[in-house]
């Protein structure tokens, strides 16, 4: 296998080799079983969520429209990485062209930025609904929701596009072996020779702009929400207001916790085994896509009842 051959010259390599899970080669075929199960559950759960929102007119509200965007990204993310991952696990099809690698990397990071932006928009939705309920339909009209969606997509494209463009300026003279299951930015940067400071710096700045900025806005929104809720006169009113935020808070925890841990450990946890880094990266991409529709299905009565009715089960007061 020519994977260890060093590359020279200024021309980019024609392909890379994705090694999968180094150190776990003997169990990769078995690991494909939970990966496939997660993928099937992700597609089924998010498709059901989209179907319920589409067919139930009472759910044609800003919160559920944003939830539809989140469901679409949760279907797109595992679809972007899992087919190649399974090809590596099953047939050792490790080779990926340089162009396909850049496209996959761009898509993964762009979808991540769209997910983060959507969760931020959902936090704003809850902030308006609880703090300014009389102005809700004015501040979050259908046209405004469309503008939010377009802004989220444009922001993701603009912020992520420089990442592959900066990689094009590098020479990859060390090796073409990527110790990963998909093309990840920092894994590619580590293969390059020469000055990679702009790549490292921009990757850090982009992450801080997206995740740091969005989390700051989300925390500020929920700070105002809590202030408003605790001023409500009755305990029942407070519980009802907080209940509308339960699913969103759960998804925020699921979405950001493994991602932040993976990001921080990748840059600062040099003593952590490389296999742990790869496991966390795959966990971050696959598992939240499966859990998000379950959280919303369990926490949102309208969705839960609609699914039970579709399954032929008599809805109970839940």
């Amino acid at each position: 296998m020519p994977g260890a051959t060093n590359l020279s010259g200024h021309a980019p390599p024609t392909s890379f080799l994705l090694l999968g899970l180094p150190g776990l080669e003997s169990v990769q075929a078995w690991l494909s079983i939970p990966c496939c199960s997660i993928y099937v559950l992700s597609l089924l759960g998010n498709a059901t969520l989209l179907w319920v929102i589409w067919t139930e007119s009472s759910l044609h509200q800003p919160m559920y429209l944003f939830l539809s965007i989140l469901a679409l990204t949760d279907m797109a993310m595992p679809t972007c990485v899992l087919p190649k991952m399974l090809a590596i696990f099953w047939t050792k099809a490790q080779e990926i062209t340089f162009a396909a690698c850049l496209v996959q990397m761009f898509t993964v990071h762009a979808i991540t930025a769209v997910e983060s932006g959507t969760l931020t928009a959902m936090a704003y939705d809850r902030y308006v609904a609880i703090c300014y309920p009389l102005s809700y339909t004015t501040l979050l009209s259908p046209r405004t929701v469309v503008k939010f969606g377009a802004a989220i997509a444009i922001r993701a494209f603009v912020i992520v596009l420089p990442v592959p463009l900066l990689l094009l300026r590098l020479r990859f003279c060390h090796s073409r072996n990527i110790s990963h299951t998909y093309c990840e930015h920092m894994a590619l940067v580590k293969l390059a020779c020469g000055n990679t400071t702009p790549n490292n710096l921009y990757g850090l700045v982009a992450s801080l702009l997206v995740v740091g900025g969005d989390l700051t806005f989300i925390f500020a929104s929920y700070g105002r929400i809590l202030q408003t809720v605790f001023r409500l006169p009755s305990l029942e009113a407070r519980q009802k207001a907080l209940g509308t935020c339960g699913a969103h808070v759960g998804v925020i925890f699921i979405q950001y916790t493994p991602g932040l841990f993976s990001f921080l450990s990748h840059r600062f946890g040099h003593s952590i085994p490389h296999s742990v880094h790869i496991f966390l990266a795959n966990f971050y991409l696959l598992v939240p896509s499966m859990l998000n529709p379950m959280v919303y299905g369990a926490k949102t009565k309208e969705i839960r009842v609609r699914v039970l009715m579709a399954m032929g089960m008599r809805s109970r007061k839940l």
Side-chain angles (χ1 to χ4, degrees), residues 51-252:
W51 172 78
V52 169
I53 294 171
W54 179 264
T55 58
E56 184 59 49
S57 58
S58 64
L59 299 181
H60 295 173
Q61 302 172 28
M63 181 178 72
Y64 298 105
L65 295 178
F66 288 133
L67 181 56
S68 297
I69 299 174
L70 186 65
L72 288 172
T73 60
D74 281 340
M75 296 174 73
M77 181 65 85
T79 300
C80 179
V81 298
L82 196 66
K84 184 60 180 179
M85 185 189 304
L86 294 178
I88 296 170
F89 289 173
W90 289 342
T91 65
K92 306 298 182 184
Q94 298 175 320
E95 191 166 16
I96 184 171
T97 65
F98 181 70
C101 190
L102 291 185
V103 169
Q104 186 189 53
M105 182 193 64
F106 172 84
T107 305
V108 167
H109 291 302
I111 292 173
T112 301
V114 170
E115 286 181 331
S116 183
T118 303
L119 290 173
T120 306
M122 295 169 79
Y124 177 72
D125 171 88
R126 291 299 84 202
Y127 164 71
V128 174
I130 293 174
C131 298
Y132 301 98
L134 299 180
S135 304
Y136 182 75
T137 55
T138 303
L139 294 175
L140 279 169
S141 64
R143 177 174 290 186
T144 304
V145 173
V146 172
K147 289 180 180 179
F148 263 114
I152 289 168
I154 292 171
R155 184 193 72 154
F157 180 83
V158 170
I159 290 179
V160 178
L161 183 60
V163 174
L165 294 181
L166 285 171
L167 283 169
L168 289 173
R169 56 177 278 278
L170 296 176
R171 290 189 302 122
F172 295 88
C173 55
H174 296 308
S175 170
R176 65 188 185 107
N177 294 344
I178 301 176
S179 297
H180 222 302
T181 56
Y182 64 92
C183 290
E184 198 271 335
H185 177 230
M186 292 307 299
L188 277 172
V189 170
K190 289 179 179 179
L191 298 182
C193 56
N195 183 18
T196 61
T197 300
N199 303 75
N200 288 303
L201 185 60
Y202 187 79
L204 181 61
V205 170
S207 298
L208 291 175
L209 280 175
V210 174
V211 179
D214 289 350
L215 278 177
T216 299
F217 185 89
I218 289 171
F219 286 143
S221 297
Y222 273 97
R224 292 294 305 275
I225 287 171
L226 289 175
Q227 287 180 353
T228 302
V229 167
F230 287 127
R231 289 181 188 146
L232 294 175
S234 69
L235 178 61
E236 182 180 357
R238 287 182 222 142
Q239 290 176 337
K240 183 177 180 180
L242 291 175
T244 65
C245 302
H248 183 240
V249 172
V251 168
I252 289 172

